[in-house]
Amino acid sequence: MPVPSAEFKRALKKLSDKEKEALLLRAARRDAELYDTLCYELLPDVTTETVFEQASDQIHELFAVGATGRLLNRSLTKALGKATKEVARARRITKDKRLEVDLNLYTLRHIFENYTGQFESMYAGFYTGTARLAARTAQLVLNNLHEDLWLEYKAEIDDFLQQLHARTKSRSLKFELPRELVLPE
């Protein structure tokens, strides 16, 4: 992404309010994420909770519509990838690390409630993607959230990690999956 130059900033300051408004509206029409970011920052009724609801609805829809067909494991892997992108989009809009963790946990809950049977498939893509999401979520909690929030998420993440370790595929992963969320003392 280009960094605005000093000359660009001066030219922007010279624009009238009407010209700035037209420029901003044109940019928002072209970029949906910019539009959502501006709505989040400018509108009082668009909060972190509404962004969470929209993103969780989108994630649910991805798995409901995308997880069909003859090759269920492959479609689940694609749905998981798209869900991860939706979580990243919500984080970019709000710049809230806790929202990212909450949406990751929502995705993991949805997977463990509905699709754990696919972990035993001969194709390891869905299992590996889920394990990476669980490991990344554990790292996000440890590195980016306050200590008090660690305790809130610890039991649920530990449960996901234990379920993943109980599978036979856990030994064939190419990365280290933590056994549990270990809190620093």
Side-chain angles (χ1 to χ4, degrees), residues 72-85:
L72 183 59
N73 198 287
R74 183 182 296 170
S75 62
L76 284 171
T77 304
K78 287 181 181 179
L80 179 59
K82 289 178 181 178
T84 303
K85 289 178 183 174

Side-chain angles (χ1 to χ4, degrees), residues 99-157:
L99 176 69
E100 181 179 12
V101 170
D102 289 338
L103 285 170
N104 281 345
L105 288 175
Y106 175 83
T107 305
L108 288 168
R109 268 185 238 114
H110 189 71
I111 289 169
F112 280 93
E113 289 172 3
N114 300 302
Y115 302 109
T116 54
Q118 290 300 311
F119 288 163
E120 298 304 326
S121 169
M122 62 187 274
Y123 303 107
F126 180 60
Y127 176 81
T128 303
T130 304
R132 283 187 175 140
L133 181 63
R136 183 177 26 211
T137 304
Q139 285 298 16
L140 279 171
V141 169
L142 287 172
N143 295 337
N144 297 321
L145 297 182
H146 191 267
E147 289 178 22
D148 296 339
L149 294 175
W150 292 344
L151 299 174
E152 181 180 326
Y153 294 117
K154 183 181 181 347
E156 190 171 22
I157 293 175

